[in-house]
Every structure is written in C-alpha cells, then in structure tokens.
Amino acid sequence: MKKIGLIFLAAIMIITLSGCQSKKTSATSSTTKAETSVDKIKKAGKIVVGTEATFPPFESVDTKDGKTIVGFDMDISQAVADKLGVKLEVKDMKFDSLVEAVKTGMIDFTAAGMNPTADRAKVVDFSQVYFNTKQVLVIKDSNTSVNSAADLSGKTLGAQLGTTSEKAAKTISGVKQVKTMDKVDELMLEVKSGRLDGVVVENVVAGNYLKVGGLKIVNVPELNTDGDLGIAIAVKKGDADLLKVINDTIVELKSNGQYDKLLEKWGMSK
Ligand code: ARG
C-alpha cells in the first residue's frame, strides 16, 4: 500500500516538473531565437578555458616568463579558439573546482588532462578522448624497497585532490594514508623530502617531473583497475554547439597532421 502511494507521488512529481519545463521552453522559443553558447563566445570575442597548471606536458607555467600557461592542452585550446576566430583566455584554478566552474559558466570548457569519469559526466559533457594515460607511482630515486603494490603497505602516498589518481591511490590495500594537495609540483617536493613515500600521477606527467632529478617511476598495475579512461575536454551539460566545435577541432588536428606534431612538440607518444 505504502509502495503504491510512493509511486503515485513520484508520478505526480514527474508530471508537474515536465509540465513546468515545456512551458519554459515554449516561452523562450516564442520570443526570440535563443542565442547559442557559440554565438555568445563570438560576440565576446574570447573563449575561456579552465585548467590547473602543474600538470606538464598537458599544462604548466612557462619557465621562460614565469606566467604564460603552455602545454599540449593549451595548444588544443588555442586551435578551438582559432576555429571560432576568438581570443583564448586561460584561467588557472584548483583542479578540484574545474567541473563546478564549467557547470556555473565561469569557464567555457576545461582542458586539464581530465578523465571523462562517469561521476563527472553526470555534471558536464565530454568531448571525444584525445589522449591515453595510465596511473603510475613516483618515488625517491634512492628508495629500493618499493617495487610493487604489496610494498606499499603502511606507506603514506600523495595525490592531487579530486583526481582519478587520488581514487587510484585509495584502492591500494594496506596503504596507511593518502594525503591530497592541490598542486602536483608540491607533491613531488614532498616525495623528495621524504614526507611522502610516493605520489600517484599519470605516466606522461611523471615522466616530466623526473627531469628535475632525484625521482623515479614504479609501475603498479593495481593503480589501473578502472582501465584507461582517456583524456577529454568538458563543456557545460547540454552545450552541444560548443562540444561540436571542440570535437571537430580534434578531428581536424588529427587528420591534418597537427596532432602528431603537437605530440612531438610536447614529447608525448601515443
Ligand atoms: N587525469 C586525472 C583526472 O582526471 C588528473 C588530472 C589532473 N590535471 C591537472 N591539470 N592537474 O582526475
């Protein structure tokens, strides 16, 4: 009896809600044709990309001037801006706040080495995957005692807050603690100084941080139980117009050879 009552209530709610929705859409369409996101971007003369710039080769602060954000993602973002004939504005923020920033319209899209996870896809829409990565562990070069997942028992690991690396680190059994920080460069310093036993991060990014010396990579297959999710760009949910421009740009870059040139430029392999 109670169950039937609940189902009835739910049905009424759905009917009322969908009623409201259709009224709203018909009201807008009867006035002027709604401006699309792409129209607005063109009118503004700029498109805003959100990223978190401690993630080379995807995005990092240019060492030459200490402020420009450069990287594979930024070149792809620039190609999107070029396609629209507008300027690219880059906003550097906490990785953890990027999805919300797209949702609220603070940024037009993300280009942040982001995996299109099912959880995120509930909030934003993703482009096609444009690169593949896997999670690895970065430890101190001099550390010879960590060679596998089993060796991580009782250890303290680090990962960037809100990332799939954080999630992966938390799946390793026996780990004493997973500490999160907002910046990958700071996590690497913690490993160097011995305050963290290791950092979970994606292979290409790990490779870049290795260049500074004193660190090494350990392959831990257990960090990749979710498989490879790929890297994709996020737009506001339902923003099909901008998503199409982004997907078209990726397809074009791949077919005209630019994509391969970018991989080479940033020392990445497929
Ligand atoms: N690929 C991981 C994720 O999607 C980490 C991305 C971190 N990106 C960055 N720009 N810091 O969660």
Side-chain angles (χ1 to χ4, degrees), residues 73-210:
D73 278 341
M74 296 303 106
D75 286 346
I76 291 181
S77 303
Q78 187 60 55
V80 171
D82 290 347
K83 195 168 175 61
L84 292 167
V86 296
K87 261 183 52 194
L88 178 70
E89 185 181 312
V90 184
K91 275 208 170 108
D92 189 13
M93 52 183 82
K94 290 182 181 179
F95 183 80
D96 193 32
S97 60
L98 284 169
V99 166
E100 190 62 20
V102 181
K103 189 183 158 193
T104 59
M106 188 185 174
I107 55 176
D108 295 308
F109 68 102
T110 65
M114 188 183 281
N115 301 121
T117 63
D119 275 349
R120 292 172 185 158
K122 284 181 198 151
V123 187
V124 292
D125 283 343
F126 282 102
S127 72
Q128 58 168 264
V129 162
Y130 59 88
F131 196 73
N132 290 292
T133 58
K134 73 181 202 215
Q135 305 287 343
V136 293
L137 183 71
V138 175
I139 63 171
K140 230 171 151 164
D141 204 12
S142 55
N143 182 349
T144 52
S145 66
V146 174
N147 301 296
S148 69
D151 298 334
L152 293 173
S153 177
K155 304 280 188 227
T156 302
L157 298 183
Q160 189 174 34
L161 180 70
T163 60
T164 50
S165 307
E166 176 189 354
K167 202 173 152 217
K170 287 179 173 164
T171 62
I172 306 293
S173 58
V175 167
K176 188 170 129 207
Q177 195 190 354
V178 175
K179 281 194 187 157
T180 53
M181 294 178 89
D182 286 322
K183 296 183 171 195
V184 181
D185 53 355
E186 284 169 10
L187 284 161
M188 295 298 170
L189 288 178
E190 294 290 293
V191 177
K192 275 194 155 187
S193 66
R195 279 190 292 269
L196 285 176
D197 295 306
V199 166
V200 177
V201 73
E202 275 140 304
N203 49 358
V204 252
V205 178
N208 261 263
Y209 278 103
L210 248 51

Side-chain angles (χ1 to χ4, degrees), residues 25-71:
T25 38
S26 62
T28 37
S29 56
S30 66
T31 51
T32 48
K33 195 177 160 283
E35 204 179 35
T36 68
S37 60
V38 170
D39 293 338
K40 278 188 209 145
I41 288 163
K42 284 187 177 162
K43 216 192 226 172
K46 66 165 187 186
I47 189 163
V48 184
V49 61
T51 196
E52 191 287 315
T54 65
F55 210 62
F58 292 99
E59 43 267 337
S60 59
V61 176
D62 194 353
T63 45
K64 280 187 213 110
D65 67 2
K67 58 173 196 261
T68 313
I69 295 168
V70 295

